[in-house]
């Protein structure tokens, strides 16, 4: 049994066999074969070794002729590994003695081999681990041949283990049999994490090296409550987790019963709970979970799915679907927030050195006005059919906001010229996501219809911590006193100016911060639909003076550790028995 600790993206417990997604995107199926098929698997293995060595020989020769001996030596080393009799016999032993399939045997033995290199102290030898991965992939390619499967064709529930997933791959999980995910990479507010959260099944990320420590077919438990992954659990652990899984399902069923009740504090203060969505179909899911509207529609995901950007008509249809899905509830459409960790397929080879500080969000829109205007036209046309608000991401200066707003007016005129109906009175607002915007919030309040605080980016820029980098994920903390004070000041300024203010970053969906945010003055929180029931339960358990007292106390601490401990103990008092 091996236990890994990471960062949870969604609560709950999942138990299933692992599928390890390689960079090449095929899975290593775990199979034991009947006794009679052992010779066939051995023959398959022989052929895979033979083909791999032959292929490598040709590559070595080509490199030697074109790039010289040094380059060719790399492949000579690969050939040497494959010719090592101990490697070959290790795999054969698994097939003969445990009747494992050739693919599973090869994968297991090669991963043990990788582990040996990982434990070495010489950095050059540690680097060899990548070579061993490469050899493993080559062998598997020959063993699996045409029978390679991708995750779309799974026939039974599995836990997906991978080094990382792109936002686009993550978005495809909804149509598969994957019941839980564990990744080496990632941090709590990376966009992959956000998509995993909306997908709603248990997931733990930032695990560093789980993808090479677990093999396809290993039994795995994902404990999204305690941020753990357990591989090959012993019987007692497995039984304990089966019981926890049942208890968690019971808890979520109970929470779902709150869907039709309003989020109102015990002393009658109404809090609006909105949902964050990435795809139009999710609008209806949010409403079913008891949300009061869509607080953030991340439209950029429409731009990530295909090679070409979506046409005005395609976008119009998608926005209309979201508006219809939301029923009579308001929908806040954010213009595309591309760049950083969300590159279009066309731009994926033009990555920037420092993408989080680069040409992203509104900066990218203002540099690509044609693309921006197409989107604005689609939004303005769709907005005629509902209660829609328009929001720009990452506004960092008044000039940026003014230019973006002028582009909206241009788009309105274009539409009126051709006689199409347009939502002239659409409220236009901004996301407050940078320290500069927070410092100038008073000036912004004079010009915007509303402000939505994007705490994910705000924390990233305020604390200078890349929100997607697992190496610094422990430094990314919403409890940092500088974050709490910035939030308090921004909320206060909006309230004083009479500008509607909400928060739509991940902290809105974390019960730990609910009392602070309400106590600091927020009356609208927007979050992944799956988080709504628990946040609602908490709000219905507190009074406004209680929340205000918690916010005041939290603001008095010097370190994020003190803040977190304090908020955790206060939250537990309100939700005894719930996992927080
Ligand atoms: C944020 O930054 O908090 C936010 C909600 O926007 P995104 O996560 O899409 O960057
Ligand atoms: Mg953001």
């Amino acid at each position: 049994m091996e236990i890994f600790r990471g960062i949870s993206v969604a609560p709950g417990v999942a138990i299933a066999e692992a599928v390890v997604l390689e960079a090449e995107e095929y899975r290593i199926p775990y199979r034991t074969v009947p006794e009679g098929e052992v010779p066939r698997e051995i023959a398959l293995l022989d052929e895979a070794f033979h083909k791999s060595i032959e292929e490598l020989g040709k590559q070595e020769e080509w490199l030697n002729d074109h790039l010289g001996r040094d380059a060719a030596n790399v492949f000579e080393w690969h050939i040497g590994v494959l010719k090592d009799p101990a490697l070959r016999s290790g795999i054969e032993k698994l097939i003969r003695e445990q009747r494992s399939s050739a693919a599973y045997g090869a994968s297991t033995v090669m991963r043990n081999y990788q582990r040996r290199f990982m434990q070495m102290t010489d950095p050059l030898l540690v680097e060899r681990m990548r070579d061993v991965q490469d050899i493993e992939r080559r062998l598997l390619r020959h063993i699996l041949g045409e029978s390679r499967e991708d995750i779309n064709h799974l026939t039974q529930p599995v836990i997906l283990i991978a080094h990382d997933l792109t936002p686009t791959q993550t978005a495809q999980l909804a149509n598969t049999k994957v019941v839980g995910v564990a990744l080496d990479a990632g941090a709590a507010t990376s966009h992959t994490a956000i998509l995993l959260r909306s997908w709603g099944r248990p997931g733990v990320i930032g695990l560093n090296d789980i993808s090479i420590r677990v093999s396809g077919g290993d039994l795995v438990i994902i404990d999204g409550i305690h941020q753990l992954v357990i591989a090959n659990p012993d019987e007692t652990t497995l039984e304990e987790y089966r019981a926890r899984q049942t208890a968690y399902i019971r808890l979520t069923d109970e929470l779902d019963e709150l869907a039709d009740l309003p989020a109102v504090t015990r002393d009658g203060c109404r809090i609006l709970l909105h949902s964050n969505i990435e795809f139009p179909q999710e609008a209806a899911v949010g409403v079913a979970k008891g949300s009061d509207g869509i607080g953030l529609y991340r439209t950029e995901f429409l731009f990530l799915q295909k090679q070409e950007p979506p046409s005005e008509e395609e976008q119009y249809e998608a926005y209309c679907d979201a508006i219809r899905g939301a029923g009579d509830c308001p929908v806040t459409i954010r213009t595309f927030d591309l760049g950083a960790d969300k590159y279009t397929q066309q731009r994926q080879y033009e990555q920037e050195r420092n993408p989080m500080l680069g040409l992203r969000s509104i900066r990218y829109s203002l540099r690509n006005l044609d693309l921006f205007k197409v989107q604005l036209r689609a939004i303005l046309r769709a907005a005629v059919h509902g209660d829609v608000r328009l929001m720009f991401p990452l506004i960092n200066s008044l000039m940026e906001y003014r230019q973006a707003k002028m582009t909206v007016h241009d788009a309105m005129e274009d539409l009126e010229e051709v006689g199409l109906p347009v939502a002239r009175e659409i409220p236009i607002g901004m996301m407050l996501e940078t320290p500069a915007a927070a410092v100038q919030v008073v000036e912004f309040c004079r010009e915007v219809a509303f402000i939505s605080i994007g705490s994910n980016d705000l924390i990233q820029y305020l604390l200078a911590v890349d929100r997607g980098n697992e190496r610094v994920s422990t430094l990314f903390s919403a409890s940092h006193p500088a974050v709490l004070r910035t939030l308090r000041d921004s909320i206060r300024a909006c309230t004083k100016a009479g500008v509607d203010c909400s928060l739509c970053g991940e902290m809105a969906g974390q019960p730990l911060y609910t009392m602070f945010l309400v106590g600091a003055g927020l009356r609208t929180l927007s979050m992944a639909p799956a988080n709504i029931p628990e946040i609602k339960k908490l709000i219905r358990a507190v009074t406004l003076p209680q929340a205000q007292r918690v916010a005041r106390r939290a603001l008095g601490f010097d370190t994020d550790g003190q803040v977190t401990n304090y908020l955790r103990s206060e939250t537990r008092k309100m939700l005894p028995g719930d996992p927080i």
Side-chain angles (χ1 to χ4, degrees), residues 465-487:
V465 178
D466 180 344
R467 62 190 268 192
N469 183 342
E470 65 278 8
R471 293 184 208 183
V472 287
S473 61
T474 51
L475 302 176
F476 185 99
S477 169
S479 295
H480 194 297
V483 173
L484 299 193
R485 279 181 225 169
T486 307
L487 291 175

Side-chain angles (χ1 to χ4, degrees), residues 117 122-132:
F117 280 101
D122 181 344
L124 280 178
L125 289 176
V126 175
E127 262 308 296
R128 286 288 191 205
M129 193 189 78
R130 304 253 163 252
D131 289 276
V132 181

